Amino acid sequence: MGEIRHILSLSGGKDSAALAIYLRDRIPDMEYVFHDTGKELPETYEYLGRLEAILGKSIHKSTVENGDFIGFDQLLKVYGGMLPSNHRRWCTRMMKLKPFERFIGSDKCYNYVGLRADEDRTGYISHKPNIIPVYPFREDGLVKADIINILEESSLGMPPYTDWGRTRSGCFFCFYQQKIEWVRLKETHPNLFEEAKAYEKPGKNATTTFYWCGDESLEELEKPERIERIKNDYEISKARKKANSSNKSLMNILGGTDDYESNEGCLICQL
């Protein structure tokens, strides 16, 4: 076994991007890896391209096995058309964790994770004994305001998908999205919404249809009266949070980012 490797996984989210910039000059031999599912938002690819320029290093794309790209469409066939959900997160396991562990192999490495000092989240990154997690933001006491400051000072800024209300990185059809985010996806990227909707069909060995939003199909969700209700419910929820959250920052309240800061979701997809 050779020297210890230093590896930072990028999700396309603000925290891992800020961590990469934060550690750029501290750990010059850092390796950067992105687990490309082939179903990321176009803004994510653009953001990572800009980050590469700031880092001065290429970001390794890990979802390749024996020379073949193994992304969502290929794996969906293996799972008989069964869409992933919070109860069956094969997407995280097969498109994030396995490629990550394959990239590292048996090498001993430090895996740098962007969990902040102001959040109480835990999650499975890897249980392999040769992979040692490191949490620089927590160790140095950095909170959300510090992360935003790092991004702004570097000129990278926040991920561009936040401009239209998306609160998390990950596939454009991520099942952890809020209903309002599905509406915004339809309004901003109607072609991607249609692609997500096309996946909602009975699996090869299934008698029921798998939906991204639990028991509500995207065909139902996109009806004008349903969209109007989702928008109204979102505004009511936002107003309620604003009234009951005097200790929370204006950015969290108005930006609708409270769910992003919750314990739900996959760390390796979102940080």
Side-chain angles (χ1 to χ4, degrees):
M1 190 176 295
E3 295 182 357
I4 296 179
R5 296 169 68 186
H6 298 269
I7 298 177
L8 195 157
S9 291
L10 294 160
S11 68
K14 69 181 189 307
D15 294 317
S16 61
L19 184 60
I21 295 167
Y22 185 67
L23 298 177
R24 177 187 57 188
D25 299 325
R26 293 173 171 83
I27 305 175
D29 57 343
M30 183 76 80
E31 299 175 64
Y32 305 98
V33 59
F34 173 66
H35 313 295
D36 189 0
T37 65
K39 300 297 176 180
E40 312 293 331
L41 288 163
E43 291 93 336
T44 297
Y45 294 118
E46 184 267 337
Y47 193 62
L48 291 173
R50 289 168 48 211
L51 179 60
E52 277 186 321
I54 291 172
L55 297 175
K57 277 189 176 181
S58 296
I59 298 170
H60 176 78
K61 309 299 191 299
S62 71
T63 318
V64 175
E65 187 173 5
N66 299 323
D68 296 322
F69 180 81
I70 307 297
F72 180 81
D73 288 333
Q74 291 80 2
L75 287 167
L76 185 62
K77 294 178 182 178
V78 174
Y79 284 86
M82 180 182 68
L83 297 179
S85 71
N86 59 339
H87 300 300
R88 45 179 189 271
R89 289 189 293 179
W90 60 258
C91 52
T92 303
R93 183 175 67 255
M94 299 302 295
M95 294 191 296
K96 301 290 183 177
L97 294 174
K98 280 188 173 292
F100 174 64
E101 292 177 345
R102 188 167 58 242
F103 175 66
I104 294 171
S106 60
D107 296 339
K108 185 174 182 179
C109 86
Y110 291 117
N111 174 215
Y112 296 84
V113 183
L115 283 172
R116 308 187 310 266
D118 61 341
E119 59 183 349
D120 183 21
R121 289 200 285 171
T122 58
Y124 176 76
I125 300 298
S126 176
H127 291 157
K128 293 186 69 176
N130 59 307
I131 302 174
I132 304 167
V134 184
Y135 306 96
F137 287 156
R138 282 188 169 177
E139 293 171 2
D140 295 346
L142 272 66
V143 298
K144 185 175 181 179
D146 298 308
I147 274 61
I148 294 173
N149 188 54
I150 290 170
L151 295 174
E152 289 178 347
E153 288 189 347
S154 70
S155 77
L156 180 63
M158 289 285 283
Y161 50 74
T162 61
D163 292 341
W164 51 269
R166 170 87 172 211
T167 62
R168 63 182 77 239
S169 53
C171 299
F172 63 82
F173 45 58
C174 180
F175 47 81
Y176 279 116
Q177 289 183 93
Q178 303 169 67
K179 295 293 179 77
I180 188 65
E181 291 179 281
W182 281 107
V183 171
R184 289 166 174 165
L185 178 68
K186 178 176 174 60
E187 293 173 342
T188 309
H189 294 294
N191 59 319
L192 297 183
F193 186 91
E194 289 301 313
E195 186 176 340
K197 189 170 65 172
Y199 284 115
E200 295 188 326
K201 54 188 177 183
K204 181 173 58 178
N205 301 315
T207 57
T208 58
T209 301
F210 297 110
Y211 299 136
W212 294 115
C213 299
D215 59 357
E216 181 177 25
S217 70
L218 293 184
E219 187 174 355
E220 289 291 325
L221 185 146
E222 70 173 339
K223 291 181 177 179
E225 63 274 16
R226 177 63 175 130
I227 287 179
E228 183 178 1
R229 188 162 72 252
I230 289 171
K231 288 182 174 181
N232 287 338
D233 288 347
Y234 173 72
E235 292 301 325
I236 292 170
S237 176
K238 189 169 67 171
R240 186 182 300 119
K241 287 178 181 179
K242 184 177 180 180
N244 297 332
S245 305
S246 58
N247 292 326
K248 292 184 179 180
S249 71
L250 191 62
M251 181 175 299
N252 277 354
I253 296 167
L254 297 183
T257 59
D258 289 331
D259 286 346
Y260 177 81
E261 303 296 338
S262 75
N263 290 324
E264 287 205 5
C266 312
L267 293 187
I268 202 166
C269 297
Q270 295 174 17
L271 288 177

